[in-house]
Amino acid sequence: MRFDDVILGRRSIRGYKPDPVPRALIEEILALAMRAPSSMNTQPWNFTVVSGEPLNRIRAGNTERMLAGVPQSREFRTGPAFAGPHRERQIGVAKQLFAAMGIAREDAERRQDWVLRGFRQFDAPVCVIVTYDRVLDGSDDTPFDCGAVTNALVNAAWSRGLGAVINSQGIMQSPVVREHAGIADDQVIMKSIALGWPDESFPANAVVSERKSVKDAAVFVGFDE
């Protein structure tokens, strides 16, 4: 694909075929993603790629703990709830997704199942867990760098025909993730990425989230009008 085709065509995939993803292809995607820039070439990121039975145990553990009301234990710091235009955009994409899936506002059962899909890694055949070196905890550059490599990863996956969605729900029950993925204590769990072959029959996969305009996002200084 051309670069523009990847950037403009990529969308978050929340429904996957069960077909396995070859390890060699994942390694190729990671190698591409790790060309992302990082502060002074520190490359703070690491990846734990989980599939098969270990991933099923993470899905089950996440779901059981959330349904039991166990408080989330996300390791990377979280801020306050979104408000203002950020909350409006969050609600906007939720409305798009629920409309695509035919989930009515009063349908509590299907709405809950939709939420639980995130804790199940959207039933994708692969989960990539992004971590960073604990010695860098508190660095402002580190999350910026991890964001850059994650962006590169989902775009590299799309260029190879794979779908992905960046997901916080899948790592909110961190003890479950640590246990079944075997993540070392010197790593901080930051994000997870569901990865697999897109199921084109899954309605939410057709949703293209809206973007604000360049006019709304950018200020140009020192340019001729």
Side-chain angles (χ1 to χ4, degrees):
M1 291 187 186
R2 293 171 58 245
F3 179 78
D4 287 14
D5 295 332
V6 174
I7 299 300
L8 295 174
R10 188 210 64 80
R11 57 194 183 275
S12 293
I13 297 300
R14 296 175 173 88
Y16 296 87
K17 297 178 181 177
D19 309 41
V21 181
R23 174 173 170 171
L25 179 56
I26 299 172
E27 290 178 348
E28 179 182 324
I29 288 166
L30 289 174
L32 281 173
M34 288 190 290
R35 294 304 305 168
S38 64
S39 177
M40 294 170 283
N41 200 35
T42 50
Q43 303 179 61
W45 51 68
N46 290 293
F47 310 95
T48 301
V49 186
V50 190
S51 189
E53 189 53 36
L55 180 53
N56 287 335
R57 289 195 293 267
I58 291 174
R59 294 190 226 273
N62 281 348
T63 302
E64 288 169 7
R65 287 168 67 99
M66 293 308 300
L67 289 175
V70 178
Q72 66 99 349
S73 52
R74 183 174 169 181
E75 296 182 3
F76 180 68
R77 61 183 182 272
T78 56
F82 294 131
H86 307 101
R87 175 61 175 162
E88 291 170 10
R89 293 186 194 111
Q90 182 186 31
I91 293 172
V93 74
K95 287 181 176 179
Q96 284 183 275
L97 292 167
F98 287 156
M101 296 299 297
I103 301 174
R105 185 178 184 86
E106 64 276 8
D107 192 340
E109 183 176 348
R110 291 191 67 198
R111 289 171 75 90
Q112 182 185 52
D113 182 69
W114 181 261
V115 171
L116 291 176
R117 287 183 65 84
F119 295 104
R120 299 198 312 261
Q121 309 290 353
F122 294 92
D123 300 325
V126 176
C127 173
V128 181
I129 301 166
V130 183
T131 68
Y132 61 86
D133 300 329
R134 192 175 295 279
V135 294
L136 298 173
D137 208 13
S139 163
D140 289 332
D141 286 325
T142 294
F144 186 90
D145 297 340
C146 288
V149 79
T150 300
N151 176 66
L153 194 159
V154 298
N155 283 319
W158 190 262
S159 77
R160 298 301 193 267
L162 288 166
V165 61
I166 303 167
N167 175 23
S168 294
Q169 291 168 310
I171 47 84
M172 282 184 173
Q173 294 291 344
S174 59
V176 171
V177 178
R178 278 195 177 277
E179 177 185 357
H180 298 301
I183 294 174
D185 290 339
D186 66 357
Q187 296 296 299
V188 176
I189 299 172
M190 186 176 200
K191 283 281 186 182
S192 64
I193 303 166
L195 182 72
W197 304 106
D199 179 356
E200 299 299 341
S201 68
F202 191 76
N205 287 346
V207 169
V208 179
S209 56
E210 299 174 354
R211 291 293 187 270
K212 60 182 180 180
S213 67
V214 173
K215 181 180 178 181
D216 290 334
V219 174
F220 293 87
V221 180
F223 288 81
D224 294 334
E225 292 297 332

